[in-house]
Amino acid sequence: MNSCRIYLTTTIPYVNAAPHLGHALEFVQADALARHYRRRGDPVRFQTGTDDNSLKNVLAANAAGVSVRDLVDANATAFEALAGPLSLSVDDVIRTSSDPRHRVGVERLWQACAEAGDLYRRHYEGLYCVGCEAFYIESELDDGVCPDHGVPPQLVAEENWFFRLSRHADRLGDEIKAGRLRIEPAGRRNEVLAFIEAGLADFSVSRSTARAHGWGIPVPGDPDQVIYVWFDALGNYVTALGYGSDEANLSRWWTGASRRIHLLGKGVLRFHAVYWPAILASAGLPLPTDLLVHDHLTVEGRKISKSGGVTVDPAALVADYGTDAVRWWLLREVPRIGDADFSGERLVARANDELANGIGNLVSRVFGLVSRYRDRVPVAERLPPGSDALLDARRSAPEVTEAALAVGDFRRATAAVWTIAAEANRYISQSRPWLLAEAERGGNQQAGRDLDAILACLVSTCRDLASQLEPFLPDASERIAAACGAPGGPAQGAQQLFPRLTPCGTGAAGKTAP
Ligand SMILES: [Zn+2]
């Protein structure tokens, strides 16, 4: 297989509060993809960051009575610190308020769109929801309130810079229909196409410096205006690569990359599938190739959101249950389509069933059998009888995983890997190695050879499982590989790979913020 260079990003979260489990979902999904492609041999750059310049951050700091800088720094640090507990293999983090690459890149992006004739200034009145950082038209509101935040938007009247989105409608539609800009799942793609076909209105890309409380990047040549948060925030995907500061790196990871993949939640679909590609087209840059859109998490039936007051701290969850259990729940239980409901009980049930009782039990049974009956891990001369279903599961897992990850279906991908463990446990019960060992002791040499073949097959299954689990559970993968030892080496003793969990504070109740 030819290797292809892949640039992979998460969205950059607002830092008006500490991270919640919804952020962890996107980070862990992106990490599993990054690890999967690296394992395949592809050069990957896995990029994250924080959106520091949002007006929401300013308002949160004012409400808390701290400086915007202090609030943004504290929360951005909490986001960055998630890489440890979640075992994220992030290559780079950009912070839009302090990274020297960002401001020069955004200014360059602005100038490129201006030179293309796509920016103009005009008077504007609109209904603005600060929670969304977006303008609404009357028909988009639910009984006069923001459908997302349940509060009435503010009427804002001012001079703003506008982006000529209308000019790019045909190109965007063509790119999406031709699959050069792939949007998964298909329902989201259709939603975007319908939005484009309904006609694209130009959108505001600046706001008055006064309304922005002086926070953000000033419009080049117009200090009374600050660049609107979305133009600024979306720009991070190229400024982090050196747009405006490091052309060689930009060309390696954006212009010359085979795939430019953005992961995002359904709430920011329009910004990523319409506004962002239009800005890139205007600036003469290639568009993203893939948008993988996930739905949202709820906590015990309630919408998970910082502003809604319902949150689960992913770092606390990992402290209670461990990295493997949290990653496994996020990847294995959250469906491709539809919101998923989190509870500590569900996380614990999933981890106990599939990690402790499933994979952990398998590995400890296999090495228990090997150490009971053999001094060394036997080398197989042939495939053991009755192992077809197990071998099928092992053979098909890589292909199923590849296809599932291509469309962002992490549940199907992990199911394929989990099937290996389930089939292997079933195979042990069916092949009953302990009876063969008994027959061998009674002088039956064929039974001894069958036992060798079964044990060899089971050990190689554990080794295979360790390898195929790596993108999803990197820590557990390492422990299983260590338990397997070198091929043909001494048998390892059975060991506990996953603790049995019981529900406790953080996850079970779904911590509610004050
Ligand atoms: Zn809103």
Side-chain angles (χ1 to χ4, degrees):
M1 198 183 308
N2 287 332
S3 77
C4 57
R5 211 152 51 228
I6 293 174
Y7 179 51
L8 178 69
T9 69
T10 66
T11 52
I12 54 169
Y14 301 129
V15 288
N16 58 340
H20 62 60
L21 196 60
H23 300 114
L25 173 69
E26 192 169 301
F27 289 145
V28 168
Q29 287 187 342
D31 184 67
L33 278 181
R35 289 177 184 275
H36 169 74
Y37 291 128
R38 286 192 202 108
R39 187 168 163 269
R40 215 173 63 171
D42 297 329
V44 173
R45 179 172 166 123
F46 172 16
Q47 177 77 43
T48 69
T50 53
D51 177 4
D52 296 356
N53 293 335
S54 157
L55 182 54
K56 281 163 90 151
N57 302 336
V58 178
L59 299 180
N62 290 350
V66 298
S67 77
V68 184
R69 172 52 62 200
D70 286 351
L71 177 107
V72 159
D73 286 351
N75 286 325
T77 304
F79 274 94
E80 245 187 277
L82 279 183
L86 292 175
S87 284
L88 305 176
S89 59
V90 171
D91 292 306
D92 185 37
V93 180
I94 187 162
R95 291 197 44 202
T96 59
S97 71
S98 57
D99 196 304
R101 292 172 293 180
H102 188 64
R103 182 167 174 161
V104 291
V106 168
E107 287 170 349
R108 159 101 186 267
L109 194 59
W110 182 278
Q111 262 141 6
C113 293
E115 279 159 26
D118 280 330
L119 298 179
Y120 63 96
R121 201 178 149 139
R122 74 166 164 90
H123 179 77
Y124 184 69
E125 284 185 19
L127 298 166
Y128 189 77
C129 174
V130 177
C132 296
E133 298 269 21
F135 284 100
Y136 279 96
I137 54 171
E138 208 76 60
S139 64
E140 291 172 324
L141 300 174
D142 282 349
D143 288 329
V145 300
C146 165
D148 242 20
H149 294 95
V151 294
Q154 305 163 358
L155 181 67
V156 169
E158 64 187 25
E159 283 267 313
N160 284 163
W161 286 91
F162 273 73
F163 180 85
R164 278 186 221 281
L165 185 60
S166 45
R167 185 191 269 184
H168 299 278
D170 291 347
R171 160 101 194 266
L172 288 182
D174 290 348
E175 297 286 331
I176 294 169
K177 283 181 208 146
R180 288 188 295 272
L181 171 51
R182 203 166 63 92
I183 302 172
E184 291 287 350
R188 299 294 170 203
R189 170 182 180 270
N190 296 339
E191 194 182 317
V192 171
L193 285 174
F195 178 71
I196 293 172
E197 274 150 28
L200 295 180
D202 295 351
F203 71 105
S204 156
V205 288
S206 74
R207 56 181 171 239
S208 72
T209 305
R211 191 156 65 85
H213 300 255
W215 184 255
I217 301 174
V219 168
D222 189 355
D224 292 343
Q225 295 274 310
V226 167
I227 296 178
Y228 173 57
V229 63
W230 281 103
F231 193 97
D232 168 325
L234 291 164
N236 97 88
Y237 298 131
V238 291
T239 63
L241 297 178
Y243 181 70
S245 63
D246 182 351
E247 286 309 307
N249 201 51
L250 181 82
S251 130
R252 176 165 172 76
W253 291 110
W254 187 269
T255 324
S258 315
R259 311 255 310 268
R260 295 170 289 275
I261 307 172
H262 296 316
L263 268 81
L264 54 132
K266 63 180 175 184
V268 293
L269 175 61
R270 198 175 288 181
F271 299 100
H272 284 79
V274 179
Y275 295 0
W276 174 232
I279 292 168
L280 289 165
S282 173
L285 289 167
L287 310 193
T289 57
D290 302 81
L291 303 179
L292 301 180
V293 188
H294 61 79
D295 287 344
H296 289 161
L297 295 180
T298 56
V299 174
E300 298 184 342
R302 289 172 299 168
K303 185 182 165 179
I304 189 170
S305 87
K306 292 175 288 194
S307 36
V310 180
T311 188
V312 173
D313 172 3
L317 208 58
V318 168
D320 285 344
Y321 299 119
T323 302
D324 294 323
V326 173
R327 283 182 68 115
W328 194 243
W329 188 84
L330 291 168
L331 295 168
R332 178 80 183 96
E333 186 139 329
V334 175
R336 179 68 191 97
I337 293 171
D339 293 346
D341 191 44
F342 171 83
S343 75
E345 281 86 354
R346 287 201 187 94
L347 181 146
V348 164
R350 181 65 77 170
N352 284 344
D353 279 0
E354 295 186 348
L355 300 184
N357 299 342
I359 296 171
N361 188 38
L362 168 70
V363 175
S364 96
R365 278 170 101 186
V366 167
F367 289 98
L369 290 167
V370 171
S371 60
R372 198 167 316 136
Y373 302 129
R374 294 291 184 264
D375 295 330
R376 305 178 72 75
V377 174
V379 178
E381 280 160 26
R382 61 193 172 81
L383 293 172
S387 58
D388 294 357
L390 171 58
L391 297 175
D392 273 354
R394 286 174 57 181
R395 262 194 298 267
S396 63
E399 208 176 302
V400 175
T401 303
E402 179 71 41
L405 291 182
V407 295
D409 190 344
F410 298 89
R411 185 153 83 170
R412 190 151 60 90
T414 47
V417 181
W418 157 247
T419 303
I420 297 173
E423 286 296 341
N425 272 321
R426 193 170 305 136
Y427 181 60
I428 295 176
S429 307
Q430 278 168 4
S431 61
R432 292 184 285 188
W434 45 93
L435 294 184
L436 294 170
E438 213 175 283
E440 184 186 31
R441 278 197 299 275
N444 182 339
Q445 292 187 0
Q446 182 56 43
R449 285 191 290 274
D450 284 348
L451 181 59
D452 274 345
I454 288 170
L455 295 176
C457 172
L458 288 170
V459 172
S460 85
T461 298
C462 290
R463 204 168 270 128
D464 191 21
L465 191 58
S467 157
Q468 300 209 34
L469 266 181
E470 196 275 335
F472 312 106
L473 299 182
D475 301 7
S477 158
E478 231 173 75
R479 293 199 302 278
I480 298 169
C484 294
Q492 312 277 315
Q495 49 178 289
Q496 197 193 28
L497 284 166
F498 301 99
R500 278 198 63 83
L501 302 176
T502 47
C504 53
T506 5
K511 198 171 71 185
T512 302

